[in-house]
Amino acid sequence: MIRSMTAYASAEAAGPAGTLSCELRTVNHRYLELSPRLPDELRSFESLLRERIAAKLSRGKLDITVRVRGNEARGDTLQINGALVTKLAELALDMQARFPNLQVELTDLLRFPGVMQQAEIDPEAQQAALFEVLDRALDVLTATREREGEKLGEILREKLDGIERVVADVRTWMPEIRAALRTRLEGRLADIKQPIEPGRLEQELVMQITRTDVDEELDRLSTHIGETRRVLGLKEPVGRRLDFLMQEFNREANTLGSKSVDARSTNAAVELKVLIEQMREQVQNIE
């Protein structure tokens, strides 16, 4: 399954500390690079979060943002620090003897640091809520990457068809190109005023054809076309394989151009390089 490396996804889920939201943004990258931004109370789960993502994604630069919105329903979990309130009451009585007009409002007392305490949240419940929202966001991200990957696959197969047509055209032209090469060589040798050694034409022709023979390059291009089609059908990340194949395609196209002795094959080499470059640009976005 071809997957794009560029996508966005988000999800929300209820947790013990409130509503958790998770945003994922990914772009193309040579390797898997994770940049998580977590609230302080969830930082202890970062290593587990990285492992969970790495089990589902293999390439791409991924920004992960997790936020927690407070839940008003958690008000019943607030507790008063009884020991601290008792100590404050003793101090208030002592101060009241010295300052008879001293008054302490309840709201002021509740705002005193440490008076109000939040009941501790079960770490396992926190982890479960984090992974739930992460998995939901990853599912959406994966589906988006697969949809984009399907489009990329169609583009690549279209370019492969174009490369295959160019290779077929060059194969068709080669007998005519070799015949024209022989005609040109005969004309050049005919212009030489000195006697020509027997078999000289055949020797020169063999040398020229050997230097300009592109059958091997055409065969390798056909092999690369078949391999690329096979790779596009694999049920695993194929970006790195495709990137390597693009390098091989480009090498054969360069050799084909360097051996060209005909305008048609020269133009064909240029067209091949254009198609290969267009494929390479798309491959950079594939996981």
Side-chain angles (χ1 to χ4, degrees):
M1 176 66 70
I2 301 175
R3 293 178 180 173
S4 169
M5 283 191 285
T6 304
Y8 168 84
S10 64
E12 287 190 352
T19 301
L20 277 73
S21 64
C22 179
E23 289 188 0
L24 304 177
R25 299 176 186 272
T26 179
V27 295
N28 58 318
H29 196 272
R30 189 174 181 182
Y31 305 107
L32 179 62
E33 180 179 320
L34 305 179
S35 300
R37 289 187 288 276
L38 304 175
D40 292 339
E41 61 268 30
L42 298 177
R43 289 191 184 280
S44 60
F45 305 117
E46 181 174 331
S47 61
L48 294 174
L49 177 140
R50 287 177 175 271
E51 292 176 6
R52 203 170 186 88
I53 294 173
K56 295 188 177 183
L57 304 178
S58 63
R59 293 179 71 193
K61 185 180 185 302
L62 179 63
D63 292 328
I64 310 108
T65 303
V66 177
R67 299 183 179 90
V68 180
R69 296 198 305 273
N71 190 344
E72 295 179 358
R74 293 190 66 228
D76 57 0
T77 65
L78 291 174
Q79 297 176 349
I80 294 178
N81 187 335
L84 180 58
V85 170
T86 299
K87 183 63 177 178
L88 290 173
E90 292 174 356
L91 291 173
L93 290 173
D94 181 60
M95 297 297 289
Q96 191 173 28
R98 301 181 185 182
F99 305 98
N101 296 325
L102 178 66
Q103 293 183 350
V104 179
E105 298 290 339
L106 176 62
T107 53
D108 294 332
L109 177 64
L110 295 178
R111 281 199 295 265
F112 190 88
V115 169
M116 298 301 299
Q117 295 179 328
Q118 189 80 53
E120 291 188 4
I121 300 173
D122 180 7
E124 292 185 0
Q126 276 188 311
Q127 177 180 317
L130 173 61
F131 286 173
E132 178 187 355
V133 72
L134 175 65
D135 288 345
R136 289 171 57 186
L138 282 172
D139 288 343
V140 175
L141 186 78
T142 299
T144 302
R145 285 162 66 115
E146 288 178 355
R147 286 195 301 272
E148 292 298 320
E150 186 176 354
K151 297 176 184 177
L152 291 175
E154 292 175 358
I155 294 173
L156 292 177
R157 291 184 178 91
E158 179 183 335
K159 301 303 178 184
L160 279 175
D161 291 342
I163 292 175
E164 193 168 41
R165 286 193 294 270
V166 172
V167 170
D169 288 341
V170 175
R171 286 190 190 277
T172 302
W173 299 332
M174 286 312 299
E176 187 178 340
I177 290 174
R178 293 190 182 103
L181 181 62
R182 181 184 183 93
T183 300
R184 286 200 301 272
L185 185 58
E186 288 174 345
R188 291 173 183 172
L189 292 177
D191 292 337
I192 300 176
K193 304 303 181 183
Q194 298 178 355
I196 301 176
E197 300 177 6
R200 176 67 182 277
L201 174 62
E202 284 72 19
Q203 293 176 3
E204 291 291 335
L205 185 60
V206 168
M207 291 176 59
Q208 290 290 336
I209 290 177
T210 300
R211 284 197 295 266
T212 59
D213 180 41
V214 294
D215 286 345
E216 188 174 347
E217 285 72 25
L218 295 176
D219 288 342
R220 282 199 289 262
L221 283 169
S222 295
T223 299
H224 296 334
I225 292 170
E227 177 63 10
T228 303
R229 287 203 171 103
R230 185 190 73 82
V231 170
L232 288 174
L234 294 177
K235 303 298 182 182
E236 60 187 59
V238 296
R240 289 192 178 95
R241 293 191 186 192
L242 291 174
D243 189 57
F244 172 76
L245 284 168
M246 293 306 104
Q247 297 177 39
E248 296 300 305
F249 269 116
N250 205 47
R251 183 178 293 112
E252 304 306 331
N254 285 334
T255 305
L256 185 66
S258 66
K259 289 185 175 183
S260 177
V261 291
D262 185 88
R264 289 172 297 178
S265 57
T266 299
N267 292 336
V270 172
E271 185 175 354
L272 279 176
K273 294 180 73 171
V274 170
L275 289 168
I276 294 165
E277 178 60 22
Q278 290 172 343
M279 289 184 68
R280 190 193 67 80
E281 290 176 355
Q282 299 300 331
V283 166
Q284 300 307 306
N285 293 321
I286 293 179
E287 182 181 5

